[in-house]
Amino acid sequence: MEKIGIAVIGAGVIGRRHVQEIARNESCRLVAIADPSPGSASYAASLSVPLYADYRELLKHERIDAAIVCTPNHTHLEVGLAFIERKIPVLMEKPVADDLESANALADASKEAGVAMLVGHHRRHNPVVRAAKEAVASGKIGTLVMANIMCLLYKPDDYFNVPWRRQPGGGPILINLIHEIDLLRFICGEIVSVQAVSSNKVRGFDVEDSAACTLRLANGALANISLSDTTATPWGWDTAAGEDRELFAYRPVPTHFFAGTNGAVTMPDLTMWSYQGAKGRDQPIHDARLAVPEENTYANQLEHFVDVVRGSVRPVIDGHDAARTLAATLAVEESARLGRLIELNVT
Ligand SMILES: NC(=O)c1ccc[n+]([C@@H]2O[C@H](COP(=O)([O-])OP(=O)(O)OC[C@H]3O[C@@H](n4cnc5c(N)ncnc54)[C@H](O)[C@@H]3O)[C@@H](O)[C@H]2O)c1
């Protein structure tokens, strides 16, 4: 079968990660890169592919089967629409857009044109996440009652030398929490309401450094997410799951806890907890590990995208699904700002 020809639009941190995976994948090849930054010329030359400062020039001159869009969030709508209008399937990095109106406009355009858009919530391609989803959905832990997620990390102090990271929108709610919200929706189901408080007390920037979020799910379960980018702990997915060990030092500890009426499961270690006889805190509780193979989550995502482009599968997360993840994330920000519960429309 012919290789899928892919263009990468935006060759920054995550764009280069996608380029690495394309090079390792036998079903696709990198055709060209678009990025206006001065450093991109030598990068594209090192890969022996053409570079375009403007993605519209790339569209004029190159024949491609698909695009991976890794530009800043506020450009996702414009760039995504340009590819969808030309019937080119897109892997759009998360968040699908920076506001709900843009997210829905992109999702609608993809649906109406019949051109697939996969959104880069890469954790959905991790076998650990899929095993936990199966444990919850199959009823192995009984009825889900509570999910408890810790996203407690320490961003190096020089991370904040970039001004937008100190401003509203540049903090852990919109950068990090969105991954937790998407995981929660994927594993446990839709979120119907959100109550949150946030704080900027430690770093003292205009944007929050920490937040505590309580969520109600459509199936009646409750969830808590603890979020901070100023805590020196290993209790965050990037550290514990080891999905990118070049970027984040690996330390596997449990960070995600799903508790049901008959048992519990934790991630990323996939420990299943249950009573073997009568249930009760006076009884010994048993633990066992679910075995899953260790896989490269980004490689899995690309493999899935190739199948999406070939039309053999539908995206694991499309534009409308990703818009719901964005809506719940924005609701956390709104709840913390207004000091009240926010109901979500999940119909
Ligand atoms: N899935 C993940 O875990 C993950 C991780 C990091 C970033 N992201 C997402 O990926 C996107 C990029 O983030 P990043 O950290 O790589 O940012 P970055 O700043 O490192 O890279 C963005 C690149 O896009 C280029 N660019 C800007 N406007 C452009 C345009 N109109 N056309 C072409 N290129 C353009 C910039 O020159 C830069 O090289 C964001 O949406 C971000 O949220 C996702």
Side-chain angles (χ1 to χ4, degrees), residues 10 12-14 34-37 70-73 76 93-95 120 122 179:
V13 174
I14 200 75
D35 194 310
S37 71
C70 312
T71 55
N73 302 345
H76 287 188
E93 261 308 338
K94 52 59 51 182
H122 64 274
H179 285 295

Side-chain angles (χ1 to χ4, degrees), residues 113-192:
V115 178
M117 179 169 67
L118 170 70
V119 181
H121 284 287
H122 64 274
R123 293 186 193 176
R124 292 196 185 200
H125 304 272
N126 189 324
V128 164
V129 170
R130 293 194 162 156
K133 178 178 171 64
E134 204 276 326
V136 172
S138 65
K140 277 193 191 119
I141 64 168
T143 302
L144 180 71
V145 180
M146 284 290 304
N148 220 318
I149 295 178
M150 288 191 288
C151 179
L152 300 174
L153 47 118
Y154 196 96
K155 289 183 182 160
D157 296 333
D158 62 3
Y159 172 94
F160 296 95
N161 292 343
V162 181
W164 68 263
R165 292 175 172 159
R166 305 192 296 268
Q167 306 297 327
I173 292 180
L174 287 177
I175 305 286
N176 307 96
L177 182 74
I178 192 164
H179 285 295
E180 307 305 345
I181 296 271
D182 192 63
L183 262 191
L184 187 67
R185 289 188 56 245
F186 185 58
I187 295 174
C188 302
E190 285 302 344
I191 297 163
V192 292

Side-chain angles (χ1 to χ4, degrees), residues 74-335:
H74 68 275
T75 66
H76 287 188
L77 177 63
E78 177 204 303
V79 178
L81 286 180
F83 287 89
I84 288 167
E85 278 162 11
R86 286 167 184 77
K87 304 275 180 210
I88 296 170
V90 171
L91 194 176
M92 175 62 72
E93 261 308 338
K94 52 59 51 182
V96 58
D98 62 350
D99 61 51
L100 266 188
E101 205 185 339
S102 305
N104 283 319
L106 254 179
D108 290 346
S110 157
K111 192 171 174 193
E112 281 157 24
V115 178
M117 179 169 67
L118 170 70
V119 181
H121 284 287
H122 64 274
R123 293 186 193 176
R124 292 196 185 200
H125 304 272
N126 189 324
V128 164
V129 170
R130 293 194 162 156
K133 178 178 171 64
E134 204 276 326
V136 172
S138 65
K140 277 193 191 119
I141 64 168
T143 302
L144 180 71
V145 180
M146 284 290 304
N148 220 318
I149 295 178
M150 288 191 288
C151 179
L152 300 174
L153 47 118
Y154 196 96
K155 289 183 182 160
D157 296 333
D158 62 3
Y159 172 94
F160 296 95
N161 292 343
V162 181
W164 68 263
R165 292 175 172 159
R166 305 192 296 268
Q167 306 297 327
I173 292 180
L174 287 177
I175 305 286
N176 307 96
L177 182 74
I178 192 164
H179 285 295
E180 307 305 345
I181 296 271
D182 192 63
L183 262 191
L184 187 67
R185 289 188 56 245
F186 185 58
I187 295 174
C188 302
E190 285 302 344
I191 297 163
V192 292
S193 68
V194 170
Q195 176 88 61
V197 288
S198 68
S199 167
N200 64 350
K201 187 165 173 283
V202 177
R203 291 200 187 268
F205 299 139
D206 287 344
V207 69
E208 79 283 343
D209 52 54
S210 308
C213 325
T214 300
L215 309 106
R216 185 183 294 280
L217 308 187
N219 59 16
L222 305 177
N224 277 317
I225 307 178
S226 302
L227 174 76
S228 180
D229 66 19
T230 185
T231 47
T233 93
W235 304 319
W237 186 257
D238 291 337
T239 301
E243 284 177 335
D244 194 334
R245 296 177 199 180
E246 280 173 34
L247 276 183
F248 307 113
Y250 179 42
R251 186 65 195 258
V253 292
T255 51
H256 291 58
F257 302 78
F258 302 97
T261 49
N262 291 337
V265 61
T266 57
M267 289 198 311
D269 56 316
L270 285 180
T271 303
M272 294 281 304
W273 293 90
S274 60
Y275 291 107
Q276 294 198 306
K279 289 191 283 182
R281 64 181 182 183
D282 54 335
Q283 300 294 321
I285 192 156
H286 173 79
D287 63 296
R289 286 281 174 97
L290 292 178
V292 296
E294 197 172 301
E295 290 176 10
N296 175 339
T297 305
Y298 295 95
N300 286 354
Q301 177 177 248
L302 181 62
E303 200 65 51
H304 174 67
F305 184 50
V306 165
D307 291 341
V308 166
V309 174
R310 292 212 159 112
S312 56
V313 295
R314 293 165 68 84
V316 157
I317 172 162
D318 65 10
H320 286 115
D321 199 355
R324 285 195 284 276
T325 287
L326 179 65
T329 309
L330 293 171
V332 167
E333 193 277 329
E334 189 184 0
S335 172

Side-chain angles (χ1 to χ4, degrees), residues 40-60:
S40 299
S42 58
Y43 177 62
S46 75
L47 299 164
S48 307
V49 294
L51 171 76
Y52 295 86
D54 188 327
Y55 68 89
R56 287 164 294 200
E57 290 300 311
L58 183 153
L59 274 168
K60 270 190 217 156

